Amino acid sequence: MSRDSSLAPFLQDAHRSFATRNADLSLATTLDRAKAPEPGDLCLVSVEKLGHHRHVELVTGRRAPLAVGDKLLLVYGNRYATDQFEAVVPRSVGLCNLAAAGGIAADVISRHATTKAPTEVLPSGILCDVNGVALNLRRWAWPGVASSPAKGVRQHLVLVVGSSMNAGKTTTCANLVRTLRHCGLKTAALKLTGTGSGGDLWRYHDAGAVQVMDFGNVGLASTAGMDLRELEAAFSRLCAAVSPEVDIIVGEIADGVLQRETRHLLQSQSLRERAGSLVFAGADPLGAAAGVQLLGEWGLDVAAVSGLICASPLAVREFRSLMSTPVIFAEDEDHHEIAARILAPAQAPGARLQAS
């Protein structure tokens, strides 16, 4: 470990990535180059070679362009992105990759054929406090309860899952939030799994969610590679942190239903007991139909289908020719009326859930 009295100026000059947003950098006094990195450890790196990611997302949400030699504050984490990178936390501090624009440092082990080689970064070390303890995001995890909900109140939870990455899950969540807002309901939007990034959270905000959180609020940079017990704990803590003033929760589970963590979470008893409605985002008719059928085999009823499939009226007609599950947010339908019917169990006391 090296104690560096000039560490503060280096941190001040570095681009601080979105994934580090909850960390208190005033605690950083040393850099440890010998410690084996763990998921959630903060690190100071320099850009060595530009590749796929030529920007880093800052805590403000702004995308800062990168140049060789730039200093970045990142977080070690795994990544699972079928359209981009598969990446794991390195075994030692050394040359690695910027695996996600939100600020994930990892070793890329595979990539999509259309994705360029990853940007290379060289860590100076893991940030540690005065006692030599690594600064890990878990240190700033919310305890899980923002305030005590009213006795007996448990908000209806609408879960959005999908056939794959980029199947339209976030767009579906934003549409649900906007529809519920038009129906007079206050909505919390949760990104339950995935890789640290602000893009989805901004979409939720812009759609009108009164409270927005993700796994970063419970001390995680990424949920890839986590075991079921950890996933269930993060899920429960996020739901428990929702304000009692919220009428309904919309929660997004990342990637496709075949992804390991997504599959395990969907089959867990704690999630099944907590979820109220399930909406499936499909990229195409066959994927949507297969997803509804697979979830049915797992004992999960899909209330509605949405997602990228809705971009094509023809694709929607193909799906409807085979399946009876309602499609919401298709252009040829009154999506407010359909969403109101699908989400009728979420009606809060005194609220009138109807099309606007």
Side-chain angles (χ1 to χ4, degrees):
M1 179 182 298
S2 66
R3 180 176 293 276
D4 190 345
S5 60
S6 62
L7 185 57
F10 276 111
L11 296 180
Q12 185 176 4
D13 292 340
H15 288 309
R16 182 173 179 176
S17 67
F18 182 83
T20 71
R21 67 192 187 281
N22 294 321
D24 181 1
L25 297 184
S26 68
L27 299 179
T29 60
T30 61
L31 289 172
D32 191 339
R33 299 180 179 89
K35 177 185 181 298
E38 297 180 13
D41 283 346
L42 275 68
C43 58
L44 177 65
V45 311
S46 60
V47 177
E48 296 293 300
K49 183 178 180 180
L50 291 176
H52 177 77
H53 288 111
R54 293 174 173 262
H55 295 79
V56 65
E57 183 182 6
L58 306 182
V59 292
T60 60
R62 184 172 66 83
R63 283 162 38 94
L66 297 177
V68 172
D70 282 351
K71 299 291 184 182
L72 310 177
L73 275 169
L74 306 179
V75 180
Y76 283 110
N78 300 312
R79 185 159 196 216
Y80 184 106
T82 52
D83 286 1
Q84 281 193 21
F85 298 125
E86 177 189 11
V88 296
V89 174
R91 295 183 177 180
S92 61
V93 174
L95 189 69
C96 60
N97 306 117
L98 177 60
I104 302 298
D107 282 338
V108 169
I109 58 177
S110 73
R111 59 188 169 102
H112 192 277
T114 62
T115 302
K116 295 180 180 178
T119 291
E120 296 180 0
V121 296
L122 181 64
S124 300
I126 296 170
L127 274 62
C128 297
D129 62 20
V130 67
N131 297 314
V133 178
L135 299 190
N136 189 288
L137 291 184
R138 294 182 185 274
R139 185 178 296 201
W140 298 280
W142 288 4
V145 179
S147 56
S148 298
K151 192 172 183 179
V153 171
R154 197 182 197 197
Q155 296 104 330
H156 186 91
L157 171 62
V158 182
L159 280 178
V160 177
V161 299
S163 57
S164 64
M165 181 181 179
N166 294 326
K169 296 182 295 295
T170 301
T171 297
T172 298
C173 286
N175 286 336
L176 286 167
V177 168
R178 186 174 292 107
T179 296
L180 292 164
R181 176 170 58 85
H182 290 166
C183 294
L185 297 177
K186 294 180 180 179
T187 307
L190 309 179
K191 183 69 179 288
L192 296 167
T193 65
T195 304
S197 173
D200 292 352
L201 304 186
W202 310 134
R203 292 282 301 276
Y204 302 159
H205 272 297
D206 292 341
V210 299
Q211 187 177 13
V212 172
M213 296 181 289
D214 74 351
F215 44 86
N217 295 113
V218 291
L220 304 173
S222 164
T223 57
M226 292 176 60
D227 63 33
L228 179 57
R229 183 177 300 179
E230 292 176 309
L231 288 169
E232 289 180 323
F235 165 74
S236 297
R237 292 170 72 188
L238 279 171
C239 289
V242 173
S243 168
E245 297 182 358
V246 165
D247 298 314
I248 186 168
I249 303 170
V250 175
E252 178 182 352
I253 298 181
D255 304 305
V257 293
L258 295 182
Q259 197 260 14
R260 174 184 171 273
E261 289 75 46
T262 300
R263 185 175 70 251
H264 287 178
L265 195 54
L266 285 172
Q267 296 184 22
S268 73
Q269 190 61 32
S270 61
L271 179 138
R272 291 174 180 235
E273 291 175 352
R274 184 63 184 84
S277 302
L278 186 64
V279 176
F280 187 84
D284 59 79
L286 183 59
V292 171
Q293 182 175 351
L294 179 62
L295 290 170
E297 293 173 358
W298 291 353
L300 294 167
D301 293 327
V302 175
V305 162
S306 192
L308 192 59
I309 185 177
C310 293
S312 168
L314 184 57
V316 171
R317 291 205 302 272
E318 284 186 358
F319 174 82
R320 286 174 174 158
S321 71
L322 182 66
M323 308 293 289
S324 61
T325 306
V327 178
I328 56 174
F329 307 123
E331 290 186 358
D332 63 335
E333 297 285 356
D334 184 341
H335 55 267
H336 289 104
E337 181 179 348
I338 293 176
R341 184 177 72 248
I342 295 300
L343 302 174
Q347 184 168 348
R352 188 179 181 186
L353 190 59
Q354 60 183 13
S356 62

